[in-house]
Amino acid sequence: MILEGFEIENWACIKKVTVANLPPTGVIVLHGPNRRGKSSIVQALRACLLDNASKSQALKSYYPRGTGEQSVVSVTFQAGGVSYRVTKHFGTNKSELRSKTPEGAWKVETTSPADVHEKTCNLAGGDDSRKGLHQLLWLTQTEFRLPEAKKFDTSVQTQLRGILGVLQTKLDDCFIERVKDRWHLWFIGQRKPGKDHEIKDSCKLAENLKNLGIAEKEMQESEGQFQEMERLLRQTADLEVQKADLERQLADRSKDREVLREEQQRCQVRIAARERAEKDHGLAEKEQHAAVEEQQGRQNAVQRCLDDDKAVEPAEGKVTLIAQNLNALLDQRQERRKDLDGHREKRRDLQDRANLVNTKLRTLRLVEQDSLARGKLEQAQWLVQEIADLERYLADFPIPDEAAVEAIKANRLRATQLRAEQEAASMNLALFPTKDCPRARLSLEGGSIQDLPLSEVPIRRTVRRKAELQIGGWGRVELTRGIGSGNLDEIEDKLRRCNEEFATALGPLGFSANDPQAMQLLLNRIAEHAHRTPTLAKQKKEVKKLAPQGIESLHRKVVESQTLLGDQPGMASADVDPLPADPGELDKLAETLKQQIGRMDTTIDKLDQEDRKAENHIAKEQKKETTAKEELAGYRATANSAREEVNRLRSEEDINRRIEDANRALQDAQAQLKQTELTEEERTVEDRLEAMEEAVEALQRQIDENTKKYHEMKGILKSSEGLHARRASLAARVDELTRMTARESLEKDAIDRLYALFEECREKQLGTVLRPIQDRVLNWMRVLDIGKYKELRFNDAFLPEQLLTSDGTAGFSIDEESTGAQEQIGMLVRLALGSILTSAEEPAVAILDDPLTHSDIGRLTKMRVILRRAAEGDQKLNPPAGPLQIVVLTCHPEWFRDERATVIDLENPEVMSRWNV
Amino acid sequence: MVRFVHAADLHLGFRITRFEDSACKRIGEARFTALQKLREQAAQHRADFILVAGDVFDDHSVSRTDVAARAFAILEGSQHHCPVFIIPGNHDPLVPGGVWDRDPWLREQPHLRVHFLREATPVMVPGLPVTIFPCPLRQRRAMDDPTAWIEKSPRESNDATIRIGLAHGSLNIMKLPEDDHLIRPDAVERYGLDYLALGHWHKQSSHKTADGTVRTAYSGTHEPMRFPETAGDIATGWSSFSSDGDAERFRDEGHGSALLVTIDAPGASPQLERIETSQLRWSAEQREVTGQPLGGLISDYSRRETPERTILRLALAGIVEPRAHARIDELKQIIENRYHPGSSIDADSVLIEPNAEQLGEVVGAGVLKRVLDKLKEQANATDVTNKRVADHALKLLYRIAWEEQPK
């Protein structure tokens, strides 16, 4: 269906618009500014051709407000090669459909509103302008994107399928839905090629796998127990064999033991006889040895007796010789000791004299020391007294510090000045008594009245405030004022304060401020301090020098020297040789005595050494003598002892007889031994029996242990009851679950395989079927310079789904492109799909209301060419693309206008007039 | 003349895991029913005694109350029942703490009718001219010949009893593990036995002496434990304790039996008669379905006798068209509902292949057609896992596509 023209009256803002003689194909541009009714024209066309019957009440909003005029839309269109004109008076029953006869006359087809609407819809291709081919080609401003697959009219899809070839049959749809449903029983999310899909936790397979894991674990445990039981079974069997073997061995050994015991019993008599023979033989041997030993002993004793008797005489001679030597040595010692004693006596005398000399010398030195100590003590004591006096003076008569002295001096100077000022401020009273004038009495400043002396010299007083003169026949009284001009009261006050300060300063020093000499006394004391303080220091220094450790130490020295003196022995008055009094002489004498003593000591030492040597010699001789005597005694004793032994022993004959008897007894015993000789068995029977007893005991122990272990195993095996059934049950469960899992897994894999193959085949088929569409759109995209895409993949609803880059490595959704590109791709796909649904015989109209608003001018220019080519169609394509009548309503005619486009200006009043609303 | 029943390998309380728990319990229960049946068969045939040649219990750790005591009660029977002589086998060897050490087996011998023979020593059957030479096993595996001891008890000149050996082990007549309690093939002649009753092998078999007389026999198990060997390697979870594991000699015939042995006199040829004892029948079958109408198959399996006592394992193979494949479920229902628990049908090997006319109808001309082509390629892959998944996916494709066909 294409438009030939239309006339719209009283529709929204449109008063009237008339467009006629539209070309059957190509681009038609209806332009006008915004809000001039372009979209209203589209609405009117939709309503008239497709959406509404004339009596529809749904269009009231499009009636021009306040005019009361009726909306009338008349559209002339061509369908199936025939021209029709449909006119609808909206809001009424007035409708009309006419067709143009081959002769060019208009023939009324019907005037029934319902028929008009139905027939028109049939001719225009549907009763809904948002469905069918119109869904693709009739676009409002907001519909620049492609519809969603679910919302894309299935009738269009069917038409496309009819033209492009079989893509997906209804059976395919049902089949894949079933497959998907089953696929979702196991998997999470949507299936994507090449992706490992997670299994749902809730699916039966997952549950089976989980249960299988548990059952396998339990079965393993159960099998473990079973294996343990089997091991025990084997062990118990071995134990039984061992036990039987051990018991057999025990029986054999016990039997052997009994045999041995009997053998032992049998051997006992012969063994006892043998033992007796051995004992007798032993005794005989012993007796023979004893007899021979006795004989040997007697012979030895006789020989010893003879030998000792021979040794006594030389031993006696030796003792005598040694005694003579010893006596000579003892005599020599006596002489030497006498000489030594004499020397020692002399030495003692010399030592006594030396002692006396030394005592006297020491006494003299002590007396000197004592005198010196006393002198020092006395001097120190005097100095200490002096220091105490000085310190006492300095303490009793203190002086102020230098600053205070200066202050006192300044105070006195100021007092002198103030007194001068006081003087200056006072009156001078001068009395000039006459020669025989009676005595006058004067009282100053209210003080006591005193007689004035009579003198030729004028009497002058200073009066500050009051002077009372009692005159009796007195001469002239003159009272004058001084030259000072100060304030007497102020001066007096200052003077008083000055004096008070002076008194305060002097008070602690023991001076009276009233004493006119006080200042002088203070100065004198300061001078005294200046003199005494260095003296005190000097004396302290001297004391320190005399007694660095205090005066007490001097005291102690004096006492010590006196004590030492007291301890000195008194000099014997009866000395033969009186000692000299001079210490020097005494020293010399002491030295001489010392030398004499030294010489004497040397002599004595020498004699002592000789004596010690002689003494050693004597000791050796004495030892020799003792040894010789002992040797002599020994010879004598052994000789006696041997003699006694010989006397004590039996006689030679007796001993010989004893030996003969013993030899005989030994021969008898040996004969007895030979008779009682034991066999090997008799000798070893005891040992063999003992070994056998031990073997039996060991076997018994082994059997006991074996039995214990056997019973333990028996208990464990008994407790295995029911394990067999449990194992069977678990194994059955594992078996069942394994089968179920395998079955379920196979089912899952098969469904996944079907799903995958279906997708793969569908994809392949889509690619084949939609190749012409894809090629055309991609070609246009290249013209528009939209990306460098190799492939545009369509879904089974014939709508583009994915763009593949030129290297085929990356896929993009259309939504990832820019808004402008999305709009342009959408337009291209619509035109491509729409054009294959048309034919040269039956072109279709595409109405684009304000399209490509997001495109730049460059792309718009290119798009203009694409629109023109789309409108022209392409019969060479397979399937061929039919021509289109593309009606563009825009406020930018320059975007779409070219030399081939039909351009209609809606501002042209001959075309369109508007209500002023 | 003496007549006795020779049985062995009862494997009571046996371990089976192949089936779901309730099925396993019922299969285990069937062994007791079969034992009861054995008892009754012995009474019917007026047997003088019963010999059980080992492996009464599948293991020592069987439940005392559910298995050990119950087995005792059945074997002990009632007063009109004959005595039973039992030896331990390699599954229940005589070990301390084992099942024989527990009540009621622990009780002092003899019981009234049950005679558990613990020692390898000749036992006279009370009131009969029969000497039994029991060869109890004390180990799971051993290299000793359990019958060797009998050599020490040769027939005396004045011995007029029928000498019967009772042993559990492998007759050394083929390549066998050395520790499988091997019994010399000429044991009967060597020991002067009239009959050697053996246990250990689960299939019934008899063996002749040099003079062609059958004097040695395995009675086989009294109740089957697994699918017969024809079914290939279908494990049930049970395992032997032999070192060569699941060997052929431990496969049964899918049904159980015992031997009724009659010996007229010492030296006479024993007469052996098979007696059926099994409660269940195990059957593993394979059916080719290519070109076969499934209706016939369904009819066959729904009409079989005593399906409730048959453990059926049916494996289908071949190629069917989708409509026919849908009927496999019908067959599955029959097998699962009518046959003994544990029965199953394996149709994994059945391929669905629509004919040329159906193909377009089933998969259409869209994507599914391409998917089908791809899957067929993958189903021919050499990689087993890949092929398995592809095969299953192919079936699912057909099934779903078939279900989605407009009705």
Side-chain angles (χ1 to χ4, degrees):
Chain A
M1 189 272 287
I2 55 168
L3 299 175
E4 289 182 348
F6 55 84
E7 189 175 286
I8 302 164
E9 286 181 75
N10 303 320
W11 184 273
C13 66
I14 300 167
K15 191 172 186 182
K16 185 172 183 181
V17 60
T18 306
V19 173
N21 302 319
L22 292 175
T25 60
V27 178
I28 300 160
V29 182
L30 295 175
H31 69 91
N34 287 329
R35 300 179 62 80
R36 285 296 190 276
K38 294 190 293 297
S39 297
S40 299
I41 290 172
V42 177
Q43 289 297 334
L45 292 174
R46 285 175 183 268
C48 184
L49 287 170
L50 302 158
D51 294 342
N52 303 94
S54 65
K55 57 186 178 185
S56 169
Q57 297 298 310
L59 300 168
K60 281 183 178 175
S61 60
Y62 292 106
Y63 302 163
R65 292 173 193 167
T67 64
E69 295 294 334
Q70 201 177 42
S71 294
V72 181
V73 180
S74 177
V75 181
T76 307
F77 62 95
Q78 199 181 86
V82 178
S83 294
Y84 296 90
R85 178 172 291 162
V86 60
T87 305
K88 289 183 180 176
H89 295 254
F90 284 103
T92 72
N93 287 331
K94 195 175 175 185
S95 294
E96 184 185 67
L97 176 67
R98 288 184 289 176
S99 61
K100 202 175 191 177
T101 62
E103 295 77 30
W106 288 101
K107 176 189 157 192
V108 176
E109 292 283 329
T110 178
T111 56
S112 158
D115 286 348
V116 168
H117 182 62
E118 189 182 343
K119 284 188 176 176
T120 305
C121 286
N122 288 338
L123 292 166
D127 59 357
D128 189 341
S129 64
R130 283 169 182 77
K131 288 187 175 172
L133 188 55
H134 311 103
Q135 190 184 7
L136 273 179
L137 298 179
W138 288 27
L139 302 180
T140 63
Q141 291 169 348
T142 56
E143 290 171 321
F144 60 89
R145 283 183 179 159
L146 287 161
E148 291 173 25
K150 285 181 185 171
K151 293 177 182 172
F152 189 33
D153 192 347
T154 50
S155 67
V156 178
Q157 293 183 48
T158 307
Q159 284 180 59
L160 285 168
R161 208 171 274 154
I163 293 164
L164 293 170
V166 176
L167 180 67
Q168 193 166 317
T169 63
K170 197 174 177 191
L171 175 63
D172 291 337
D173 292 341
C174 297
F175 179 85
I176 195 62
E177 281 311 309
R178 284 276 301 273
V179 169
K180 281 180 183 175
D181 286 348
R182 296 192 66 178
W183 190 87
H184 285 295
L185 289 177
W186 293 295
F187 296 106
I188 298 168
Q190 297 300 318
R191 192 183 188 289
K192 287 186 181 170
K195 186 185 166 190
D196 286 332
H197 294 89
E198 266 185 67
I199 302 261
K200 280 180 182 174
D201 287 341
S202 58
C203 78
K204 200 175 174 185
L205 177 62
E207 195 182 333
N208 283 346
L209 282 168
K210 191 178 163 190
N211 291 335
L212 179 61
I214 294 167
E216 279 177 339
K217 195 178 170 190
E218 286 177 4
M219 194 175 79
Q220 273 178 5
E221 288 171 6
S222 177
E223 284 301 315
Q225 286 175 18
F226 175 71
Q227 294 302 331
E228 178 64 15
M229 289 302 126
E230 284 297 302
R231 192 181 63 77
L232 285 176
L233 275 178
R234 284 194 295 276
Q235 281 188 6
T236 50
D238 292 344
L239 276 177
E240 280 214 321
V241 173
Q242 279 178 23
K243 190 182 170 190
D245 187 43
L246 286 170
E247 282 172 349
R248 194 172 59 248
Q249 285 182 45
L250 180 64
D252 292 348
R253 294 283 178 280
S254 300
K255 203 171 166 185
D256 291 347
R257 184 178 63 179
E258 288 310 311
V259 171
L260 275 173
R261 280 178 179 166
E262 286 169 12
E263 188 182 341
Q264 189 214 22
Q265 288 296 324
R266 281 197 307 274
C267 294
Q268 280 304 312
V269 177
R270 277 183 57 73
I271 289 169
R274 172 72 183 178
E275 281 174 354
R276 277 197 303 278
E278 282 175 348
K279 191 178 173 187
D280 291 348
H281 182 263
L283 288 171
E285 273 186 336
K286 202 174 172 184
E287 174 59 19
Q288 189 205 32
H289 284 301
V292 170
E293 276 178 9
E294 188 177 11
Q295 187 183 42
Q296 189 65 42
R298 190 173 199 289
Q299 286 167 359
N300 289 344
V302 170
Q303 186 59 43
R304 275 201 312 277
C305 189
L306 291 172
D307 292 346
D308 288 342
D309 283 344
K310 277 182 193 170
V312 166
E313 193 175 344
E316 283 174 344
K318 189 179 176 183
V319 168
T320 308
L321 184 62
I322 291 169
Q324 286 170 355
N325 286 340
L326 185 60
N327 287 337
L329 286 171
L330 287 171
D331 291 344
Q332 287 170 8
R333 185 178 70 176
Q334 195 174 358
E335 284 299 317
R336 192 168 49 251
R337 285 194 176 171
K338 198 175 174 184
D339 187 25
L340 187 59
D341 288 344
H343 280 89
R344 280 182 178 149
E345 187 64 30
K346 282 180 187 171
R347 195 214 180 264
R348 267 195 303 276
D349 293 344
L350 285 171
Q351 187 64 48
D352 290 345
R353 181 129 182 102
N355 289 345
L356 283 173
V357 169
N358 287 334
T359 304
K360 190 161 186 180
L361 265 173
R362 196 159 51 249
T363 305
L364 288 173
R365 283 186 189 118
L366 283 172
V367 167
E368 190 183 339
Q369 282 173 8
D370 182 56
S371 171
L372 188 63
R374 280 172 184 276
K376 275 187 180 179
L377 179 61
E378 283 170 5
Q379 191 182 352
Q381 283 175 335
W382 179 82
L383 282 169
V384 166
Q385 187 59 48
E386 282 294 301
I387 288 165
D389 291 346
L390 282 169
E391 284 177 341
R392 197 178 309 113
Y393 173 81
L394 292 174
D396 291 347
F397 303 101
I399 59 169
D401 58 23
E402 283 183 16
V405 170
E406 288 306 313
I408 291 167
K409 282 180 180 174
N411 177 281
R412 284 306 86 197
L413 186 62
R414 194 151 50 91
T416 306
Q417 285 172 352
L418 286 170
R419 273 196 296 274
E421 285 176 17
Q422 188 186 39
E423 191 76 21
S426 302
M427 289 179 290
N428 294 326
L429 176 62
L431 298 172
F432 305 93
T434 58
K435 197 174 179 180
D436 296 318
C437 68
R439 286 194 177 263
R441 299 171 73 188
L442 180 62
S443 168
L444 291 175
E445 310 301 338
S448 60
I449 194 156
Q450 294 178 345
D451 290 338
L452 286 170
L454 293 175
S455 163
E456 291 177 357
V457 181
I459 299 165
R460 295 182 186 277
R461 296 287 188 270
T462 298
V463 179
R464 291 191 296 275
R465 283 184 178 77
K466 185 181 176 183
E468 188 181 346
L469 186 63
Q470 293 176 0
I471 307 168
W474 193 265
R476 186 170 56 97
V477 176
E478 187 177 307
L479 183 64
T480 60
R481 191 175 181 80
I483 58 174
S485 59
N487 187 328
L488 185 59
D489 288 341
E490 190 179 339
I491 291 165
E492 281 180 349
D493 189 45
K494 285 181 181 174
L495 184 59
R496 182 180 54 76
R497 282 204 300 276
C498 192
N499 287 334
E500 282 174 1
E501 285 173 7
F502 182 60
T504 305
L506 290 188
L509 301 174
F511 296 113
S512 169
N514 296 327
D515 186 351
Q517 296 302 314
M519 189 60 200
Q520 188 55 49
L521 288 172
L522 175 62
L523 291 173
N524 290 345
R525 187 183 286 181
I526 289 168
E528 193 64 29
H529 266 266
H531 168 69
R532 292 194 186 197
T533 302
T535 308
L536 178 63
K538 190 180 171 186
Q539 286 176 348
K540 280 184 176 175
K541 202 172 175 182
E542 282 179 20
V543 169
K544 189 78 178 173
K545 193 177 173 185
L546 280 170
Q549 292 167 354
I551 204 158
E552 282 305 314
S553 68
L554 288 178
H555 264 297
R556 279 198 298 278
K557 276 186 181 175
V558 171
V559 172
E560 279 171 14
S561 63
Q562 284 181 348
T563 307
L564 286 171
L565 270 175
D567 290 344
Q568 285 303 308
M571 299 298 291
S573 54
D575 282 345
V576 178
D577 189 6
L579 296 174
D582 181 38
E585 290 294 324
L586 279 171
D587 279 339
K588 281 180 187 169
L589 181 57
E591 188 57 32
T592 306
L593 285 169
K594 193 177 175 185
Q595 287 172 358
Q596 287 174 349
I597 289 168
R599 283 195 296 275
M600 191 59 70
D601 283 343
T602 306
T603 307
I604 290 167
D605 285 346
K606 194 178 173 185
L607 288 171
D608 269 341
Q609 279 178 8
E610 286 173 0
D611 185 52
R612 277 196 295 277
K613 280 181 184 173
E615 197 63 32
N616 285 341
H617 197 189
I618 289 165
K620 281 178 184 172
E621 285 303 315
Q622 283 173 339
K623 199 174 178 182
K624 274 183 187 175
E625 186 188 25
T626 306
T627 306
K629 282 179 179 174
E630 283 172 356
E631 200 175 344
L632 176 62
Y635 288 140
R636 283 176 180 157
T638 50
N640 288 336
S641 171
R643 208 168 285 118
E644 283 172 7
E645 191 177 348
V646 169
N647 292 335
R648 194 177 63 246
L649 288 170
R650 273 181 272 208
S651 65
E652 189 70 31
E653 292 76 20
D654 289 347
I655 290 172
N656 285 339
R657 271 197 302 279
R658 184 185 174 193
I659 289 170
E660 283 169 10
D661 292 345
N663 284 339
R664 273 196 301 277
L666 184 59
Q667 282 170 358
D668 292 346
Q670 282 169 343
Q672 190 65 30
L673 267 181
K674 203 171 181 181
Q675 282 175 4
T676 59
E677 187 74 33
L678 292 174
T679 64
E680 180 65 22
E681 286 73 22
E682 286 168 338
R683 270 201 303 279
T684 59
V685 70
E686 290 290 345
D687 292 344
R688 283 185 290 131
L689 180 59
E690 192 179 346
M692 190 57 69
E693 295 281 6
E694 282 176 6
V696 168
E697 276 176 25
L699 277 170
Q700 191 57 55
R701 274 199 304 277
Q702 228 174 325
I703 287 168
D704 290 346
E705 282 173 15
N706 194 305
T707 306
K708 190 181 168 193
K709 205 169 173 185
Y710 179 86
H711 284 297
E712 283 172 3
M713 287 181 180
K714 196 172 166 179
I716 295 169
L717 283 171
K718 270 191 175 179
S719 68
S720 71
E721 182 189 321
L723 177 64
H724 196 59
R726 193 160 63 251
R727 275 180 66 226
S729 175
L730 282 168
R733 180 155 174 70
V734 168
D735 203 29
E736 176 71 10
L737 282 168
T738 305
R739 282 200 304 278
M740 281 166 67
T741 306
R743 204 163 50 236
E744 191 80 6
S745 199
L746 180 64
E747 190 84 357
K748 172 197 72 133
D749 291 343
I751 285 291
D752 190 52
R753 177 74 60 88
L754 280 176
Y755 196 170
L757 282 175
F758 192 94
E759 290 290 302
E760 185 188 319
C761 293
R762 188 187 64 83
E763 198 65 37
K764 207 166 179 179
Q765 195 153 329
L766 268 175
T768 308
V769 170
L770 286 163
R771 173 65 64 185
I773 305 293
Q774 177 193 258
D775 289 347
R776 202 168 186 207
V777 173
L778 277 176
N779 194 29
W780 284 340
M781 282 170 69
R782 282 186 208 109
V783 170
L784 288 178
D785 200 18
I786 300 173
K788 289 183 179 175
Y789 297 112
K790 174 189 172 188
E791 199 176 329
L792 178 62
R793 286 194 173 167
F794 287 78
N795 58 24
D796 51 11
F798 299 95
L799 294 170
E801 204 168 53
Q802 202 180 28
L803 285 158
L804 286 184
T805 51
S806 55
D807 59 1
T809 54
F812 297 95
S813 162
I814 303 282
D815 295 340
E816 290 178 68
E817 266 294 356
S818 69
T819 307
Q822 284 183 49
E823 184 184 28
Q824 289 145 19
I825 292 168
M827 176 75 79
L828 299 179
V829 171
R830 285 169 186 275
L831 291 173
L833 289 174
S835 63
I836 63 163
L837 295 174
T838 64
S839 63
E841 295 75 31
E842 189 63 49
V845 60
I847 297 177
L848 312 177
D849 185 5
D850 217 359
L852 304 169
T853 51
H854 298 92
S855 303
D856 59 40
I857 194 70
R859 284 197 178 160
L860 280 166
T861 306
K862 291 172 182 172
M863 184 57 93
R864 198 159 57 218
V865 177
I866 290 167
L867 284 175
R868 195 180 68 224
R869 286 185 184 167
E872 286 168 356
D874 189 348
Q875 292 303 309
K876 286 179 283 184
L877 294 175
N878 184 22
L884 292 171
Q885 182 191 48
I886 300 173
V887 178
V888 180
L889 293 105
T890 178
C891 52
H892 296 285
E894 71 279 7
W895 290 356
F896 302 98
R897 181 191 293 146
D898 69 4
E899 69 277 9
R900 298 187 202 176
T902 302
V903 180
I904 299 168
D905 184 1
L906 295 174
E907 287 292 279
N908 184 348
E910 290 179 9
V911 177
M912 185 167 164
S913 59
R914 295 176 188 79
W915 291 103
N916 291 322
V917 286
Chain B
M1 183 193 80
V2 293
R3 180 179 290 140
F4 59 92
V5 171
H6 167 197
D9 296 287
L10 307 182
H11 288 281
L12 299 171
F14 89 132
R15 180 176 183 270
I16 186 167
T17 62
R18 175 72 203 181
F19 313 103
E20 61 180 22
D21 206 34
S22 63
C24 290
K25 281 179 181 164
R26 288 184 62 170
I27 292 166
E29 181 65 24
R31 305 195 77 75
F32 288 98
T33 312
L35 180 62
Q36 186 65 49
K37 206 168 171 179
L38 175 80
R39 240 327 183 175
E40 286 159 9
Q41 291 268 37
Q44 277 176 20
H45 288 94
R46 298 179 181 278
D48 296 312
F49 54 90
I50 298 171
L51 297 179
V52 183
D55 283 356
V56 171
F57 299 106
D58 196 43
D59 191 83
H60 282 293
S61 53
V62 294
S63 163
R64 182 170 57 84
T65 49
D66 294 347
V67 180
R70 196 168 163 207
F72 182 85
I74 294 171
L75 288 167
E76 181 70 1
S78 55
Q79 56 185 3
H80 63 274
H81 281 129
C82 61
V84 184
F85 295 89
I86 299 165
I87 56 164
N90 69 317
H91 273 254
D92 51 4
L94 190 61
V95 292
V99 67
W100 309 114
D101 257 5
R102 299 174 204 161
D103 189 63
W105 296 92
L106 187 61
R107 291 177 202 162
E108 285 299 313
Q109 296 286 342
H111 301 294
L112 288 175
R113 282 162 290 277
V114 172
H115 300 267
F116 179 64
L117 308 176
R118 292 173 183 268
E119 303 297 335
T121 182
V123 174
M124 293 294 294
V125 178
L128 288 171
V130 175
T131 306
I132 296 172
F133 294 87
C135 307
L137 294 189
R138 293 177 176 275
Q139 287 164 288
R140 289 238 190 264
R141 294 197 290 267
M143 296 175 77
D144 303 327
D145 181 343
T147 62
W149 73 274
I150 307 174
E151 196 162 18
K152 292 177 185 170
S153 302
R155 184 187 283 276
E156 301 292 333
S157 56
N158 58 350
D159 184 0
T161 60
I162 294 170
R163 289 160 61 91
I164 301 172
L166 181 60
H168 190 91
S170 283
L171 203 58
N172 196 2
I173 54 171
M174 56 179 145
K175 187 171 168 52
L176 292 162
E178 288 184 0
D179 59 353
D180 200 33
H181 306 285
L182 298 185
I183 297 167
R184 56 188 306 152
D186 61 348
V188 170
E189 294 113 307
R190 191 174 179 88
Y191 307 145
L193 298 175
D194 292 295
Y195 182 74
L196 177 57
L198 293 178
H200 195 38
W201 296 1
H202 290 192
K203 206 182 295 180
Q204 202 171 84
S205 65
S206 54
H207 307 273
K208 292 177 180 173
T209 55
D211 63 1
T213 310
V214 172
R215 290 192 185 277
T216 303
Y218 284 97
S219 66
T221 180
H222 78 307
E223 173 70 15
M225 299 166 66
R226 57 195 309 170
F227 295 104
E229 61 197 70
T230 50
D233 187 20
I234 303 172
T236 57
W238 180 85
S239 60
S240 75
F241 285 113
S242 293
S243 53
D244 58 345
D246 196 16
E248 196 278 338
R249 62 188 179 283
F250 302 115
R251 295 173 190 274
D252 54 55
E253 297 161 309
H255 54 94
S257 61
L259 284 169
L260 181 67
V261 184
T262 308
I263 304 174
D264 290 334
S269 297
Q271 302 300 310
L272 274 61
E273 187 185 336
R274 179 191 182 98
I275 51 175
E276 293 297 325
T277 54
S278 63
Q279 170 67 10
L280 299 178
R281 182 170 169 273
W282 291 53
S283 179
E285 299 171 25
Q286 287 189 341
R287 298 292 288 264
E288 173 63 48
V289 292
T290 311
Q292 299 287 325
L294 272 173
L297 203 63
I298 293 166
S299 173
D300 177 15
Y301 283 98
S302 59
R303 287 180 187 170
R304 284 201 176 176
E305 287 183 0
T306 61
E308 72 284 357
R309 287 173 53 193
T310 304
I311 302 173
L312 175 66
R313 165 131 183 143
L314 178 60
L316 299 182
I319 303 168
V320 295
E321 45 94 13
R323 200 189 310 273
H325 191 270
R327 294 204 72 188
I328 290 176
D329 283 348
E330 207 178 317
L331 185 58
K332 192 176 177 188
Q333 292 291 316
I334 289 167
I335 290 170
E336 286 181 355
N337 294 335
R338 297 190 192 175
Y339 284 74
H340 190 276
S343 298
S344 64
I345 179 169
D346 177 9
D348 287 352
S349 301
V350 177
L351 299 176
I352 307 172
E353 184 67 70
N355 57 37
E357 291 168 11
Q358 287 175 324
L359 193 63
E361 186 190 343
V362 175
V363 296
V367 181
L368 217 47
K369 174 74 175 62
R370 286 169 178 270
V371 174
L372 178 65
D373 294 341
K374 281 266 181 194
L375 273 178
K376 280 182 174 174
E377 278 174 31
Q378 292 180 359
N380 290 325
T382 49
D383 173 12
V384 178
T385 311
N386 196 21
K387 179 177 166 34
R388 203 161 151 263
V389 174
D391 280 343
H392 196 72
L394 207 52
K395 282 180 197 162
L396 284 175
L397 182 145
Y398 281 130
R399 178 170 291 181
I400 296 170
W402 184 255
E403 286 168 4
E404 290 299 327
Q405 296 299 314
K407 304 300 177 201

